[in-house]
Amino acid sequence: MNVRDLPAVFSRMAPGELNAFVARGRASLLELGQAHSTFEAEAPDLDPLPLRLSVAEGRTLARGAAQWAELLASLYASQWQGPGGLLPDQVLWEEAGLDPAFFGLLPANAEALTLVGLDVDRDDQGFWTVRRVVTGVPRGLGFALENRIVHKRVLGNRLARNQVDRLAPFFQTLKDRWMSLAPHHRDEPTVMVWTAGPSDPHYFEHVYLARYFGYPLVESRDLTVRGGRVFLKLLGGLQVVDVLVRMVADGALDPLAGGGSIEGVAGLLNAVRTGAVHVANAPGADFLEHPRVFPHFAAAAQGLGIYLDMPPSETPGGWEPFWDGHAWAPKPFTLRIFTVRTPDGWKLLPGGLAQTPGGAFKDVWVSAEKSVPFVTLLPQNERPSEIHRSADLPSRVADDLHWLGRYAERAWVDLRFLERWTDALETDHEDSGDVEPLEAVAAKMEMGFPPTEETSAPGRLWDDLSSLASISRRVRDRLSLETHRIIGRFSEGLDGVPLRDRFDRVGLLLAAFTGLTQENLTRGPGWVFLDMGRRIER
């Protein structure tokens, strides 16, 4: 099958078959944690039909993205030139709210923008325009990768992909670029993905990318600045950090930056200024994404002598067929693409993320001129970092695993007690004497009253399970996908379920969770702290 035959392949599929594909794709995406992304899709739908781009379209996007990347890099460099710069001062300092703490931040010859994203539209004549730029946190990069993997998993071998460019070479190029930017330890740099944690709507992307790249996933409270250098706080001491791939917005980078936020790592900007650590993309790059800056891009490009094959435009683009559950219906879409700086110029991700305003997504295929061999992301010219899940680990993770064990054991105790108390209430006789002692224990444990068939679930037990789920999200990269599936089912389908059945279901899920953490977690410091929490709670 040729890539051009895709519409014919899908036209032969029955509506029930297509709906089944959509349902399986949605279930896979929800399992991966994409349900609450800021792409405004509580239940994201992955469209069966990919967005197909020809070889010529791929070249057009690559050339246009490179032009925009050069423009944005020049604008970042010129922001500190004072009056007469490429962007009006009023736009920078008043409307876009540029923080003076980023003034003169980067050392000489430091790379400001390594990865640039663009939201592009295609009109009915095939002409591409740019609607938005992404210069800070690369939102959508991990989602595009996951969509490709889920789409292949759902449709299996029904679609031939031998003439479709693969994504893995791009991500390997990105890894190589980050390694080359390390100011120290160039032979074995320490690269880490820096996230704001589970409170970030895109946290699932950060976890997925960290696993895909093989990098540690760290939060601000895992990091510290000592003697002008950035370190990761481990149980065994401090580990120097060379490169931080930031998934954190400018306002949460450094509480000393002057923006009024208490989040971030104190002293980080000074470490960047002295060249002790490289942060990609550079702090301060978020201002280029501000809507007030966008209307000035065309004039700035003209002033720099950069011709844009894809001019800026805020007019919606063309339409693409999407499956609506009954038929193929044309819908407007926006395509997010990414390009990475290399020694030979900018290289385009041969794919991306296509989305409708309603929240449906398409995998994006870029056609190749000839058959593409199978490629996977394997480490090249690097040795594994000394930080492993099975070896030393951040102290914050150790603390979270300790409390994960405590709340798991606490939930077991509460469940057993509630089952016994409910039995006593159901079989209570005046001379049994079972209820009063249990009520005394319940008062000491602050259990409240056991629920009835008409009331909601018991507060303390469900508080335990809620805490269990919250902590597990903070250590998501340390637990298996199966473990998170179990945790996500604690509250599923319990409305209207008889109390006994609720207890039975929670008991089975707790048993499964305990078994998975006991058997599938490597016997390293993380497992020791998890087991320690269980034993202390007992």
Side-chain angles (χ1 to χ4, degrees), residues 51-69:
L51 171 62
R52 299 172 298 113
L53 302 177
S54 66
V55 174
E57 285 180 307
R59 291 173 178 169
T60 298
L61 290 175
R63 183 173 59 252
Q67 294 166 350
W68 271 89

Side-chain angles (χ1 to χ4, degrees), residues 403-421 445 447 458 460-466 468 486 490 502-518 530 533-535 537-538:
W403 283 102
L404 189 69
R406 293 198 65 164
Y407 275 108
E409 190 65 24
R410 188 174 299 177
W412 265 121
V413 172
D414 292 349
L415 175 63
R416 294 182 182 118
F417 180 83
L418 282 168
E419 288 177 326
R420 180 68 185 89
W421 195 5
M445 296 174 63
M447 290 292 297
R460 172 162 158 161
L461 174 58
W462 256 249
D463 288 344
D464 294 341
L465 298 178
S466 177
L468 192 69
I486 293 297
F490 277 125
R502 291 192 188 190
F503 287 159
D504 290 344
R505 177 167 180 168
V506 171
L508 288 173
L509 292 175
L510 281 173
F513 173 80
T514 301
L516 286 170
T517 53
Q518 287 287 344
L530 182 75
R534 284 196 179 101
R535 295 179 182 275
E537 193 65 29
R538 289 175 186 173

Side-chain angles (χ1 to χ4, degrees), residues 188 214 216 234 383-394 478 525:
E188 190 180 358
L234 300 171
R383 289 180 292 170
S385 170
E386 293 181 0
I387 303 173
H388 307 281
R389 296 189 184 99
S390 60
D392 212 347
L393 79 163
R478 307 281 166 168

Side-chain angles (χ1 to χ4, degrees), residues 99 102 246 248-265 283-284 286:
D99 193 336
F102 301 122
R246 76 172 175 107
V248 179
D250 278 350
L253 295 179
D254 189 339
L256 304 180
S261 173
I262 62 172
E263 300 178 356
V265 182
D286 291 14

Side-chain angles (χ1 to χ4, degrees), residues 448-483:
F449 295 95
T452 64
E453 297 292 345
E454 294 78 21
T455 60
S456 61
R460 172 162 158 161
L461 174 58
W462 256 249
D463 288 344
D464 294 341
L465 298 178
S466 177
S467 298
L468 192 69
S470 177
I471 296 173
S472 70
R473 286 193 293 270
R474 298 205 296 263
V475 292
R476 183 171 186 149
D477 59 320
R478 307 281 166 168
L479 302 177
S480 66
L481 181 59
E482 291 78 10
T483 305

Side-chain angles (χ1 to χ4, degrees), residues 149-454:
I149 294 174
V150 170
H151 190 276
K152 184 176 181 180
R153 180 194 306 168
V154 170
L155 290 176
N157 296 323
R158 289 177 176 266
L159 303 179
R161 304 164 188 261
N162 57 332
Q163 282 191 275
V164 177
D165 273 334
R166 297 185 178 275
L167 304 184
F170 173 88
F171 286 98
Q172 182 60 59
T173 300
L174 189 56
K175 284 191 68 175
D176 293 342
R177 191 59 182 171
W178 283 331
M179 291 180 61
S180 69
L181 296 174
H184 309 284
H185 310 103
R186 300 296 293 270
D187 57 335
E188 190 180 358
T190 303
V191 184
M192 301 181 184
V193 176
W194 180 17
T195 176
S199 61
D200 191 312
H202 292 271
Y203 182 63
F204 73 91
E205 285 193 274
H206 310 163
V207 174
Y208 197 84
L209 287 172
R211 285 178 169 172
Y212 189 71
F213 288 128
Y215 294 152
L217 183 68
V218 300
E219 299 180 21
S220 296
R221 53 188 176 140
D222 296 327
L223 304 172
T224 185
V225 176
R226 306 282 178 86
R229 300 287 298 275
V230 180
F231 294 91
L232 174 66
K233 294 182 287 186
L234 300 171
L235 292 177
L238 298 177
Q239 170 70 43
V240 67
V241 178
D242 297 306
V243 178
L244 282 172
V245 179
R246 76 172 175 107
M247 304 293 174
V248 179
D250 278 350
L253 295 179
D254 189 339
L256 304 180
S261 173
I262 62 172
E263 300 178 356
V265 182
L268 175 75
L269 293 189
N270 189 58
V272 173
R273 185 174 287 108
T274 60
V277 67
H278 183 87
V279 177
N281 281 338
D286 291 14
F287 86 95
L288 292 168
E289 300 182 14
H290 198 281
R292 294 288 189 177
V293 176
F294 188 84
H296 299 275
F297 284 148
Q302 186 176 7
L304 288 169
I306 298 177
Y307 178 78
L308 299 177
D309 289 338
M310 301 188 300
S313 174
E314 298 183 66
T315 303
W319 299 63
E320 183 75 13
F322 281 75
W323 181 252
D324 64 3
H326 306 282
W328 296 102
K331 296 182 181 180
F333 77 98
T334 296
L335 172 62
R336 178 162 295 183
I337 59 176
F338 293 91
T339 184
V340 58
R341 184 191 292 272
T342 74
D344 301 321
W346 293 87
K347 178 178 180 180
L348 183 73
L349 172 71
L353 191 65
Q355 182 195 8
T356 69
F361 299 89
K362 278 184 180 289
D363 189 16
V364 179
W365 291 10
V366 178
S367 303
E369 294 181 344
K370 57 184 179 180
S371 181
V372 178
F374 174 78
V375 181
T376 186
L377 183 62
L378 295 175
Q380 299 177 8
N381 301 322
E382 62 172 315
R383 289 180 292 170
S385 170
E386 293 181 0
I387 303 173
H388 307 281
R389 296 189 184 99
S390 60
D392 212 347
L393 79 163
S395 53
R396 186 264 309 174
V397 175
D399 187 61
D400 285 341
L401 289 172
H402 166 80
W403 283 102
L404 189 69
R406 293 198 65 164
Y407 275 108
E409 190 65 24
R410 188 174 299 177
W412 265 121
V413 172
D414 292 349
L415 175 63
R416 294 182 182 118
F417 180 83
L418 282 168
E419 288 177 326
R420 180 68 185 89
W421 195 5
T422 304
D423 286 341
L425 288 176
E426 291 176 350
T427 60
D428 182 33
H429 299 287
E430 293 183 359
D431 58 347
S432 66
D434 288 343
V435 176
E436 185 174 346
L438 291 174
E439 288 180 346
V441 175
K444 288 291 185 181
M445 296 174 63
E446 299 180 352
M447 290 292 297
F449 295 95
T452 64
E453 297 292 345
E454 294 78 21

